[in-house]
Amino acid sequence: KLNIDPETREGFVPQQIKQERDQSKKYAMMGQFVEEFTKDENVPWVLEQYIPHLVSKSEWPKVKAAAEKLLSVKPNDIDAADALLNATQQLKESPESVNKVANIAWKAADSHLRTPRPDDPALTASWKESMEWATRLKQTAEYAIYAFAKDPATQKQAMTWLEELNPTSLYLISSTGQFAAMYQKQGNTAKMLA
């Protein structure tokens, strides 16, 4: 929710942002607002508008910083969690970093899936759509961990992380079969059965 207070600069700028018609000026104002008023109550609203713009411009370091900031105040924001996961992958960060962010995204989505169905029938369609989105985000987070396991050395770590995150992950089951086949081709039956 946006809180406009024309008596203060930090309360007036969000109104200017909302009314600005020139998109490039609008996004420049958003970036400046987030940097200048880091603790203002309107920062989450501004970030919710700003992050999709940053993603569309592939400004991954800024996406990551903005998504982390939004998640620090709205930990179950699935759009911010998805943006953070995407930025981490695009920046080709370490497997440990991908695992950490995948866990954040998966937990945000899992929490979102506990949102009760609204009583108002007019809201049911958007609720259902958000539930489907959260389900896909959980799968994407699991895949992010699975995807870096390219050989037996990284496979063990990925499987451990997947098992900690979701012991019933389809990627965990797929990974087990894939690497058993690789060990079998190598003639390493001891590891194949492990």
Side-chain angles (χ1 to χ4, degrees), residues 23 25 45-46 59 92 97 114 134 146 168 171 174 188:
Q23 293 299 308
K25 285 182 184 177
W45 179 86
V46 172
E59 294 187 32
K92 300 189 185 324
S97 181
R114 292 190 186 100
Y146 168 80
T168 62
Y171 294 107
S174 174
N188 192 342

Side-chain angles (χ1 to χ4, degrees), residues 182-193:
M182 184 169 43
Y183 285 130
Q184 185 178 24
K185 273 186 183 177
Q186 294 172 350
N188 192 342
T189 55
K191 285 195 175 184
M192 184 181 84
L193 298 173

Side-chain angles (χ1 to χ4, degrees), residues 6 8 10 19 24 32 40 75 95 109 111 157 160 186:
T8 65
E10 63 268 25
Q19 294 174 343
S24 62
Q32 183 179 0
D40 187 77
S111 179
Q157 184 62 64
T160 300
Q186 294 172 350

Side-chain angles (χ1 to χ4, degrees), residues 13 17 27-40 42-48 50-51 54 62 65-66 69-70:
V13 172
I17 290 170
Y27 291 121
M29 290 169 68
M30 287 180 179
Q32 183 179 0
F33 181 84
V34 169
E35 286 181 27
E36 191 174 335
F37 304 108
T38 58
K39 300 203 183 296
D40 187 77
N42 289 316
V43 167
W45 179 86
V46 172
L47 288 171
E48 287 171 348
Y50 191 45
I51 290 171
L54 295 173
K62 288 182 180 181
K69 185 168 193 62
L70 183 53

Side-chain angles (χ1 to χ4, degrees), residues 123-136:
L123 300 175
T124 302
S126 64
W127 173 86
K128 187 176 179 184
E129 191 175 293
S130 76
M131 293 298 111
E132 291 168 358
W133 170 227
T135 299
R136 286 191 308 272

